[in-house]
Amino acid sequence: MNTSNFTGEIKKELVRNGFENACCKTAALSAFLRTAGSIVRKGNRIGFEFVTENETVAEFFIGLIEELYGAQLNIVQAKTDIRNGKDRLIFECLSDESAFILKELGIAEWNGDEFGFRMDLDKYIVENECCEVAYIAGAFLGSGSCSVPKGEDSHSGYHLEIVFSNGFLADDFCELLAVREILAKKVARKGSLVVYLKSRGSISDFLDLIGAHAALAKLDALSERRDERNQINRVANCLQKNYDKSILASVRQIQAIEQIDKIVGLAELDPVLRQTAQARIADKEASLKELAENLHISKSCLNHRLRKIENLAKELGGE
């Protein structure tokens, strides 16, 4: 399963689902701008811009901004990313309403005559439980990605991450997940803080939480196929190990018998051990089970006899 394709599928599903309440739309938009946007200043005007490679996501949030605040965004740049061949779209909102929008989204605030950027999450934005979930989904739409093994035999693992501009936002986001028993980790990367999940279970819980149920079904199907393949491999490896151990034991037994025959001759063995030694030499590739059946004895009895033969060979060899 291609990483970018799977990420795109999750984001398309979230956009299709949308957000029902105005408070949830506000929370999702706030998280999206927190993860994909930045504040811009031109002269006395303060506004914001956001960057995305996903046209569907861009259209969705442009629609939300227009619906909630009646503001228009302009595309200021569209260029191809040489790393993946995708267009990077940059949209800008720099109008009389833009500073107000940033304040309403809990991203910026006025301290007297000073306009400042909030480093942490405004708790008012996630006042309701539904808004917390919308904020989590909005953050994934902004800078989230999810990679899964490419196939049943792939050695790559599971990884979901969301990139934040600072540690305060990352900490607050981790707290939102922790309340729902999804334990995320953080790592600094190129001046940003990355919140990530590495286990299949935690990623499944995350997808379920944000309502990406179609993507979750695909993930579960892939996981089941991998589990089945891993189980087959474990059984095959176990059988191979047992076979290898059986071969080594057979070689050791034959060497012991040949050493006894060379030093004193098999005729000097008591009848029971002589019969066992001759049967082993006669069918060197027989398993213990097959050899025991040929001798009409139990495997434990056969093991006991073969150990006595090996011990005798060691005594005769002076080991």
Side-chain angles (χ1 to χ4, degrees), residues 20-40:
E20 185 175 353
N21 304 317
C23 60
C24 295
K25 293 175 182 178
T26 301
L29 178 56
S30 176
F32 175 75
L33 291 180
R34 287 288 205 177
T35 51
S38 57
I39 290 178
V40 294

Side-chain angles (χ1 to χ4, degrees), residues 280-294:
R280 174 80 283 179
I281 291 295
D283 194 349
K284 296 181 178 180
E285 296 183 2
S287 66
L288 288 180
K289 182 175 181 293
E290 293 168 338
L291 198 57
E293 288 174 354
N294 292 339

Side-chain angles (χ1 to χ4, degrees), residues 175-234:
E175 286 183 19
L176 291 179
L177 294 180
V179 169
R180 291 158 177 84
E181 298 184 351
I182 301 175
L183 303 180
K185 295 183 179 180
K186 297 175 299 177
V187 64
R189 183 197 298 162
K190 296 180 181 179
S192 300
L193 261 294
V194 179
V195 174
Y196 67 94
L197 304 170
K198 293 290 286 184
S199 73
R200 184 187 73 190
S202 61
I203 292 173
S204 295
D205 291 342
F206 183 91
L207 295 179
D208 185 46
L209 172 65
I210 62 176
H213 297 130
L216 175 58
K218 282 194 171 185
L219 179 64
D220 287 343
L222 172 65
S223 300
E224 288 176 8
R225 292 196 298 272
R226 279 177 60 84
D227 287 346
E228 183 178 343
R229 171 68 64 180
N230 289 338
Q231 180 62 24
I232 292 172
N233 288 340
R234 280 194 293 269

Side-chain angles (χ1 to χ4, degrees), residues 118-139:
R118 285 196 63 148
M119 299 293 286
D120 61 342
L121 169 62
D122 185 346
K123 300 303 181 184
Y124 176 75
I125 295 296
V126 290
E127 188 175 19
N128 304 314
E129 186 174 341
C130 60
C131 299
E132 292 181 347
V133 175
Y135 185 90
I136 293 168

Side-chain angles (χ1 to χ4, degrees), residues 43-177:
N44 294 327
R45 284 193 167 185
I46 298 172
F48 59 88
E49 66 180 21
F50 69 80
V51 182
T52 182
E53 295 177 348
N54 192 310
E55 290 185 23
T56 302
V57 171
E59 291 173 3
F60 177 73
F61 282 104
I62 289 171
L64 273 191
I65 292 170
E66 186 172 352
E67 175 190 343
L68 293 172
Y69 305 108
Q72 299 288 326
L73 276 81
N74 301 313
I75 184 166
V76 295
Q77 191 176 30
K79 65 178 182 179
T80 303
D81 190 325
I82 59 174
R83 293 172 300 176
N84 55 26
K86 291 187 176 182
D87 290 335
R88 293 180 75 250
L89 308 172
I90 302 178
F91 295 87
E92 182 183 80
C93 180
L94 194 65
S95 63
D96 295 336
E97 304 92 5
S98 54
F100 170 77
I101 294 171
L102 290 170
K103 181 177 179 298
E104 287 295 298
L105 294 176
I107 296 173
E109 58 188 354
W110 289 98
N111 293 316
D113 294 332
E114 292 293 321
F115 184 80
F117 180 65
R118 285 196 63 148
M119 299 293 286
D120 61 342
L121 169 62
D122 185 346
K123 300 303 181 184
Y124 176 75
I125 295 296
V126 290
E127 188 175 19
N128 304 314
E129 186 174 341
C130 60
C131 299
E132 292 181 347
V133 175
Y135 185 90
I136 293 168
F140 185 84
L141 284 167
S143 66
S145 64
C146 183
S147 60
V148 294
K150 294 179 181 178
E152 293 89 338
D153 299 322
S154 174
H155 295 295
S156 59
Y158 299 87
H159 184 87
L160 184 147
E161 69 174 42
I162 299 172
V163 183
F164 291 89
S165 58
N166 68 72
F168 298 103
L169 288 174
D171 287 341
D172 290 336
F173 190 80
C174 287
E175 286 183 19
L176 291 179
L177 294 180

